[in-house]
Amino acid sequence: MTRTLDEAGREKTAARLLKSSANKFYDPEVDVDWDAPLVEGKRYIPAHRSTLYGTELWERLSHEQRIELGKHELASVATNGLWFEILLMQMLLKEVYNADPTTNHAQYALTEIADECRHSTMFARMAERVGCPPYGPVKWRRRLGKILPVIGYGPALYGSILVAEEVLDRLQREQMNDPEIQPLVRMVNRIHVLEEARHVTFAREEVTRGMAGLSPGEKAYQRLLIAVVSHEVTRSLVNPAVYKAVGIRPRDGYRAAMNNPYWQDTVRYAGERIMPFLDEAGLVGAPGMRWWRRSFLLPNR
Ligand SMILES: [Fe+2]
Ligand SMILES: [Fe+2]
Protein backbone atom coordinates (compact mmCIF):
# COMPACT_ATOMS: atom_id res chain seq x y z
CA MET A 1 0.00 0.00 0.00
CA THR A 2 2.72 2.48 1.02
CA ARG A 3 4.69 1.43 -2.02
CA THR A 4 1.77 2.17 -4.35
CA LEU A 5 1.26 5.57 -2.72
CA ASP A 6 4.98 6.25 -3.09
CA GLU A 7 4.87 5.37 -6.76
CA ALA A 8 1.84 7.59 -7.29
CA GLY A 9 3.62 10.55 -5.64
CA ARG A 10 6.71 9.90 -7.71
CA GLU A 11 4.73 9.86 -10.94
CA LYS A 12 2.88 13.04 -10.01
CA THR A 13 6.08 14.98 -9.38
CA ALA A 14 7.67 13.68 -12.58
CA ALA A 15 4.58 14.66 -14.59
CA ARG A 16 4.70 18.19 -13.18
CA LEU A 17 8.43 18.49 -13.93
CA LEU A 18 7.95 17.21 -17.48
CA LYS A 19 5.36 19.89 -18.07
CA SER A 20 7.57 22.61 -16.67
CA SER A 21 10.52 21.37 -18.79
CA ALA A 22 8.39 21.63 -21.92
CA ASN A 23 7.32 25.19 -21.03
CA LYS A 24 10.61 26.63 -19.94
CA PHE A 25 13.96 25.63 -21.30
CA TYR A 26 16.90 27.26 -23.00
CA ASP A 27 19.03 26.34 -25.94
CA PRO A 28 22.41 27.89 -25.14
CA GLU A 29 23.34 27.55 -28.80
CA VAL A 30 20.82 30.27 -29.68
CA ASP A 31 20.07 31.93 -26.33
CA VAL A 32 23.65 32.92 -25.51
CA ASP A 33 25.34 35.55 -27.66
CA TRP A 34 28.68 33.77 -28.05
CA ASP A 35 30.04 36.35 -30.48
CA ALA A 36 29.50 39.39 -28.24
CA PRO A 37 32.85 40.84 -27.17
CA LEU A 38 33.87 40.41 -23.52
CA VAL A 39 33.58 43.68 -21.60
CA GLU A 40 36.87 45.28 -20.68
CA GLY A 41 37.32 45.64 -16.92
CA LYS A 42 34.34 43.52 -15.87
CA ARG A 43 34.88 40.59 -13.55
CA TYR A 44 34.10 36.92 -14.11
CA ILE A 45 33.33 36.24 -10.44
CA PRO A 46 32.94 38.72 -7.55
CA ALA A 47 36.28 39.47 -5.85
CA HIS A 48 35.10 38.14 -2.49
CA ARG A 49 34.33 34.74 -4.08
CA SER A 50 37.90 34.30 -5.29
CA THR A 51 39.67 31.43 -3.48
CA LEU A 52 42.58 33.67 -2.48
CA TYR A 53 40.55 36.73 -1.42
CA GLY A 54 41.91 38.16 1.82
CA THR A 55 45.14 36.12 1.79
CA GLU A 56 48.70 37.41 1.62
CA LEU A 57 48.95 36.09 -1.96
CA TRP A 58 45.88 38.17 -2.89
CA GLU A 59 47.49 41.33 -1.51
CA ARG A 60 50.42 40.83 -3.85
CA LEU A 61 48.22 40.65 -6.99
CA SER A 62 47.43 43.70 -9.12
CA HIS A 63 43.83 44.62 -9.96
CA GLU A 64 44.20 43.06 -13.44
CA GLN A 65 45.71 39.88 -12.01
CA ARG A 66 42.80 39.52 -9.61
CA ILE A 67 40.36 39.69 -12.54
CA GLU A 68 42.52 37.21 -14.47
CA LEU A 69 42.54 34.77 -11.54
CA GLY A 70 38.75 35.06 -11.24
CA LYS A 71 38.41 34.20 -14.92
CA HIS A 72 40.41 31.01 -14.45
CA GLU A 73 38.51 30.15 -11.28
CA LEU A 74 35.24 30.58 -13.18
CA ALA A 75 36.51 28.22 -15.89
CA SER A 76 37.63 25.72 -13.25
CA VAL A 77 34.23 25.73 -11.52
CA ALA A 78 32.41 25.47 -14.87
CA THR A 79 34.50 22.55 -16.14
CA ASN A 80 34.19 20.77 -12.80
CA GLY A 81 30.43 21.40 -12.94
CA LEU A 82 30.55 19.75 -16.36
CA TRP A 83 32.39 16.78 -14.85
CA PHE A 84 29.70 16.41 -12.15
CA GLU A 85 27.03 16.61 -14.84
CA ILE A 86 28.65 13.88 -16.92
CA LEU A 87 28.76 11.61 -13.87
CA LEU A 88 25.13 12.44 -13.13
CA MET A 89 24.09 11.67 -16.70
CA GLN A 90 25.76 8.24 -16.42
CA MET A 91 23.91 7.53 -13.19
CA LEU A 92 20.57 8.67 -14.58
CA LEU A 93 21.06 6.57 -17.71
CA LYS A 94 21.71 3.52 -15.52
CA GLU A 95 18.43 4.21 -13.76
CA VAL A 96 16.53 4.56 -17.05
CA TYR A 97 18.11 1.31 -18.26
CA ASN A 98 16.32 -0.55 -15.48
CA ALA A 99 13.07 1.43 -15.52
CA ASP A 100 9.78 1.15 -17.36
CA PRO A 101 10.25 3.77 -20.10
CA THR A 102 6.54 4.55 -20.20
CA THR A 103 6.59 6.02 -16.66
CA ASN A 104 6.80 9.78 -16.10
CA HIS A 105 9.70 9.06 -13.79
CA ALA A 106 11.83 7.47 -16.53
CA GLN A 107 10.83 10.12 -19.02
CA TYR A 108 11.73 12.91 -16.65
CA ALA A 109 15.11 11.26 -16.03
CA LEU A 110 15.68 11.35 -19.81
CA THR A 111 14.62 15.02 -19.89
CA GLU A 112 17.08 15.84 -17.12
CA ILE A 113 19.84 14.12 -19.10
CA ALA A 114 18.91 16.29 -22.08
CA ASP A 115 19.14 19.42 -19.86
CA GLU A 116 22.55 18.37 -18.57
CA CYS A 117 23.78 17.67 -22.10
CA ARG A 118 23.02 21.27 -23.03
CA HIS A 119 24.59 22.58 -19.80
CA SER A 120 27.82 20.66 -20.29
CA THR A 121 28.13 21.97 -23.84
CA MET A 122 27.43 25.48 -22.54
CA PHE A 123 30.06 25.30 -19.77
CA ALA A 124 32.65 23.90 -22.17
CA ARG A 125 31.92 26.65 -24.63
CA MET A 126 32.14 29.34 -21.95
CA ALA A 127 35.59 28.12 -20.83
CA GLU A 128 36.72 28.19 -24.44
CA ARG A 129 35.16 31.60 -25.11
CA VAL A 130 36.91 33.30 -22.19
CA GLY A 131 40.18 31.71 -23.28
CA CYS A 132 40.86 29.28 -20.43
CA PRO A 133 42.06 25.67 -20.47
CA PRO A 134 39.47 22.91 -19.88
CA TYR A 135 40.57 22.50 -16.25
CA GLY A 136 38.12 19.95 -14.83
CA PRO A 137 39.27 17.86 -11.86
CA VAL A 138 42.91 16.87 -11.25
CA LYS A 139 43.94 13.55 -12.82
CA TRP A 140 43.58 11.26 -9.81
CA ARG A 141 40.16 12.65 -9.00
CA ARG A 142 38.98 12.19 -12.58
CA ARG A 143 40.06 8.53 -12.32
CA LEU A 144 38.40 8.11 -8.92
CA GLY A 145 35.18 9.65 -10.25
CA LYS A 146 34.75 6.70 -12.62
CA ILE A 147 33.88 4.38 -9.76
CA LEU A 148 31.04 6.56 -8.49
CA PRO A 149 28.39 5.37 -10.98
CA VAL A 150 29.49 1.80 -10.07
CA ILE A 151 29.46 1.91 -6.24
CA GLY A 152 26.91 4.68 -5.74
CA TYR A 153 23.24 3.97 -5.21
CA GLY A 154 20.28 5.18 -3.22
CA PRO A 155 19.68 8.43 -1.38
CA ALA A 156 23.38 9.25 -0.98
CA LEU A 157 23.72 9.26 -4.73
CA TYR A 158 20.87 11.71 -5.20
CA GLY A 159 22.09 13.58 -2.11
CA SER A 160 25.57 14.05 -3.61
CA ILE A 161 24.02 15.24 -6.85
CA LEU A 162 22.09 17.78 -4.79
CA VAL A 163 25.25 18.99 -3.06
CA ALA A 164 26.95 19.60 -6.42
CA GLU A 165 23.86 21.22 -7.92
CA GLU A 166 22.92 23.39 -4.95
CA VAL A 167 26.46 24.57 -4.23
CA LEU A 168 26.83 25.77 -7.82
CA ASP A 169 23.30 27.12 -7.83
CA ARG A 170 23.82 29.34 -4.83
CA LEU A 171 26.95 30.93 -6.26
CA GLN A 172 25.43 31.34 -9.72
CA ARG A 173 22.24 32.84 -8.29
CA GLU A 174 24.26 35.46 -6.42
CA GLN A 175 26.21 36.33 -9.56
CA MET A 176 23.56 36.24 -12.30
CA ASN A 177 22.25 39.71 -11.48
CA ASP A 178 25.53 41.32 -10.43
CA PRO A 179 26.20 44.23 -12.86
CA GLU A 180 29.94 43.98 -12.18
CA ILE A 181 30.06 40.55 -13.85
CA GLN A 182 30.60 39.88 -17.58
CA PRO A 183 27.20 39.71 -19.37
CA LEU A 184 28.11 36.37 -21.00
CA VAL A 185 28.80 34.78 -17.62
CA ARG A 186 25.59 36.21 -16.16
CA MET A 187 23.52 34.73 -18.98
CA VAL A 188 25.13 31.30 -18.57
CA ASN A 189 24.46 31.46 -14.83
CA ARG A 190 20.86 32.53 -15.38
CA ILE A 191 20.15 29.64 -17.77
CA HIS A 192 21.68 27.16 -15.37
CA VAL A 193 19.82 28.46 -12.32
CA LEU A 194 16.48 28.33 -14.10
CA GLU A 195 16.83 24.75 -15.29
CA GLU A 196 18.45 23.38 -12.15
CA ALA A 197 15.43 24.24 -10.00
CA ARG A 198 13.60 21.23 -11.48
CA HIS A 199 16.53 18.90 -10.92
CA VAL A 200 16.66 19.93 -7.29
CA THR A 201 12.97 19.12 -6.76
CA PHE A 202 13.43 15.72 -8.41
CA ALA A 203 16.53 14.77 -6.39
CA ARG A 204 15.14 16.02 -3.05
CA GLU A 205 12.11 13.77 -3.36
CA GLU A 206 14.29 10.80 -4.30
CA VAL A 207 16.39 11.36 -1.15
CA THR A 208 13.37 11.49 1.15
CA ARG A 209 11.78 8.44 -0.43
CA GLY A 210 15.02 6.48 -0.54
CA MET A 211 15.88 6.99 3.15
CA ALA A 212 12.52 5.70 4.33
CA GLY A 213 13.14 2.05 3.44
CA LEU A 214 16.74 1.57 4.61
CA SER A 215 18.17 -0.59 7.43
CA PRO A 216 20.49 1.09 10.01
CA GLY A 217 23.53 -0.56 8.37
CA GLU A 218 22.62 0.75 4.94
CA LYS A 219 21.94 4.20 6.37
CA ALA A 220 25.49 4.29 7.78
CA TYR A 221 26.91 3.37 4.36
CA GLN A 222 24.82 6.11 2.75
CA ARG A 223 26.09 8.65 5.31
CA LEU A 224 29.70 7.74 4.58
CA LEU A 225 29.23 7.77 0.81
CA ILE A 226 27.60 11.21 0.70
CA ALA A 227 30.19 12.73 3.05
CA VAL A 228 33.13 11.46 0.95
CA VAL A 229 31.57 12.56 -2.34
CA SER A 230 30.60 16.00 -0.99
CA HIS A 231 34.14 16.48 0.27
CA GLU A 232 35.45 15.71 -3.23
CA VAL A 233 32.92 18.12 -4.73
CA THR A 234 34.05 21.11 -2.66
CA ARG A 235 37.76 20.23 -2.91
CA SER A 236 37.65 19.85 -6.68
CA LEU A 237 35.95 23.18 -7.50
CA VAL A 238 39.26 24.93 -7.97
CA ASN A 239 41.92 23.11 -9.95
CA PRO A 240 45.38 24.06 -8.56
CA ALA A 241 46.58 24.82 -12.09
CA VAL A 242 44.49 28.05 -12.13
CA TYR A 243 47.11 29.82 -10.01
CA LYS A 244 49.71 29.49 -12.78
CA ALA A 245 47.75 32.13 -14.72
CA VAL A 246 48.89 34.77 -12.19
CA GLY A 247 52.37 33.39 -11.54
CA ILE A 248 51.60 31.51 -8.32
CA ARG A 249 52.90 27.97 -7.85
CA PRO A 250 49.80 25.68 -8.00
CA ARG A 251 50.71 23.92 -4.76
CA ASP A 252 51.14 27.23 -2.90
CA GLY A 253 47.93 28.71 -4.28
CA TYR A 254 45.85 25.64 -3.49
CA ARG A 255 47.21 25.38 0.05
CA ALA A 256 46.52 29.06 0.70
CA ALA A 257 43.00 28.67 -0.69
CA MET A 258 42.10 25.64 1.43
CA ASN A 259 43.36 27.41 4.56
CA ASN A 260 41.65 30.68 3.64
CA PRO A 261 38.79 31.42 6.07
CA TYR A 262 37.09 33.58 3.40
CA TRP A 263 37.04 30.68 0.95
CA GLN A 264 35.82 28.32 3.67
CA ASP A 265 33.02 30.81 4.34
CA THR A 266 32.15 30.89 0.63
CA VAL A 267 31.77 27.09 0.60
CA ARG A 268 29.68 27.25 3.77
CA TYR A 269 27.50 29.93 2.18
CA ALA A 270 27.11 27.77 -0.93
CA GLY A 271 25.98 24.82 1.21
CA GLU A 272 23.61 26.80 3.42
CA ARG A 273 20.46 25.68 1.64
CA ILE A 274 21.25 22.01 1.12
CA MET A 275 22.85 21.08 4.46
CA PRO A 276 19.74 21.48 6.67
CA PHE A 277 17.81 19.32 4.21
CA LEU A 278 20.40 16.53 4.24
CA ASP A 279 20.66 16.74 8.00
CA GLU A 280 16.92 16.37 8.40
CA ALA A 281 16.92 13.44 5.96
CA GLY A 282 19.41 11.70 8.28
CA LEU A 283 22.34 11.80 5.86
CA VAL A 284 24.70 13.93 7.97
CA GLY A 285 26.28 11.88 10.76
CA ALA A 286 28.64 9.04 11.69
CA PRO A 287 30.70 7.64 10.08
CA GLY A 288 30.96 10.60 7.70
CA MET A 289 31.64 13.53 10.01
CA ARG A 290 35.41 13.73 9.42
CA TRP A 291 34.73 14.23 5.70
CA TRP A 292 31.98 16.75 6.26
CA ARG A 293 34.26 18.84 8.48
CA ARG A 294 36.98 18.83 5.84
CA SER A 295 34.45 19.79 3.14
CA PHE A 296 33.79 23.19 4.88
CA LEU A 297 30.06 22.62 4.32
CA LEU A 298 29.05 22.23 7.96
CA PRO A 299 27.49 25.35 9.49
CA ASN A 300 29.55 27.26 12.06
CA ARG A 301 28.35 26.47 15.55
FE1 LIG B 1 23.28 21.38 -15.05
FE1 LIG C 1 21.26 19.41 -12.84
Side-chain angles (χ1 to χ4, degrees):
M1 181 66 190
T2 339
R3 176 131 198 104
T4 332
L5 273 179
D6 257 18
E7 287 303 316
R10 208 185 194 199
E11 280 297 276
K12 221 170 138 187
T13 303
R16 183 162 55 83
L17 294 174
L18 274 168
K19 209 168 159 195
S20 148
S21 311
N23 287 339
K24 234 196 245 164
F25 74 97
Y26 284 98
D27 181 356
E29 209 60 49
V30 283
D31 294 322
V32 177
D33 186 358
W34 296 105
D35 296 327
L38 296 167
V39 183
E40 187 81 29
K42 284 219 189 273
R43 295 179 181 279
Y44 296 80
I45 59 170
H48 71 290
R49 294 302 179 207
S50 185
T51 56
L52 294 184
Y53 179 81
T55 63
E56 225 172 89
L57 287 172
W58 180 259
E59 295 311 319
R60 279 190 240 148
L61 296 177
S62 67
H63 178 71
E64 287 71 29
Q65 282 178 313
R66 289 174 182 173
I67 293 184
E68 182 68 10
L69 175 63
K71 183 172 91 181
H72 287 261
E73 289 172 323
L74 167 84
S76 173
V77 171
T79 50
N80 274 292
L82 180 162
W83 174 56
F84 305 148
E85 287 177 337
I86 287 173
L87 285 170
L88 161 63
M89 287 189 256
Q90 291 181 29
M91 296 185 277
L92 286 171
L93 268 176
K94 254 178 79 176
E95 188 146 330
V96 178
Y97 189 92
N98 295 315
D100 170 355
T102 64
T103 57
N104 290 326
H105 184 77
Q107 288 171 18
Y108 181 71
L110 286 169
T111 306
E112 183 164 320
I113 295 165
D115 288 350
E116 300 297 15
C117 265
R118 295 194 305 276
H119 297 169
S120 291
T121 312
M122 173 173 79
F123 288 146
R125 201 146 174 199
M126 179 171 72
E128 192 194 351
R129 177 69 188 87
V130 301
C132 287
Y135 288 112
V138 291
K139 240 192 224 151
W140 67 265
R141 223 177 234 127
R142 190 186 295 272
R143 264 191 235 129
L144 193 69
K146 278 193 194 166
I147 64 168
L148 188 64
V150 182
I151 60 159
Y153 74 97
L157 193 56
Y158 276 103
S160 325
I161 290 168
L162 271 171
V163 170
E165 288 183 330
E166 296 225 29
V167 160
L168 288 184
D169 184 81
R170 206 143 146 91
L171 296 173
Q172 290 175 333
R173 207 172 271 273
E174 178 192 52
Q175 296 165 24
M176 66 184 189
N177 294 322
D178 183 340
E180 295 307 311
I181 303 291
Q182 292 282 349
L184 170 82
V185 177
R186 281 163 53 191
M187 186 60 187
V188 166
N189 285 344
R190 201 169 302 131
I191 290 179
H192 202 242
V193 162
L194 196 126
E195 298 200 335
E196 284 301 317
R198 296 190 288 261
H199 303 180
V200 166
T201 307
F202 184 71
R204 279 191 180 215
E205 287 203 10
E206 286 301 310
V207 168
T208 312
R209 247 180 241 120
M211 282 304 276
L214 294 183
S215 69
E218 271 182 311
K219 278 188 183 160
Y221 173 72
Q222 295 286 321
R223 282 196 294 268
L224 179 63
L225 182 64
I226 191 171
V228 173
V229 178
S230 302
H231 170 264
E232 295 311 316
V233 167
T234 65
R235 293 286 171 139
S236 66
L237 287 174
V238 62
N239 183 316
V242 299
Y243 302 109
K244 273 198 274 188
V246 288
I248 295 173
R249 207 159 63 143
R251 206 189 316 155
D252 297 342
Y254 192 74
R255 191 183 309 124
M258 292 307 119
N259 290 316
N260 179 7
Y262 287 101
W263 173 246
Q264 296 177 5
D265 268 348
T266 287
V267 176
R268 211 167 284 125
Y269 165 82
E272 240 171 37
R273 214 178 47 184
I274 184 59
M275 290 312 289
F277 170 79
L278 295 177
D279 197 13
E280 200 169 305
L283 277 169
V284 184
M289 292 315 285
R290 195 174 87 95
W291 297 95
W292 280 121
R293 267 191 297 276
R294 289 168 45 94
S295 77
F296 310 133
L297 284 165
L298 287 181
N300 270 334
R301 286 183 211 278

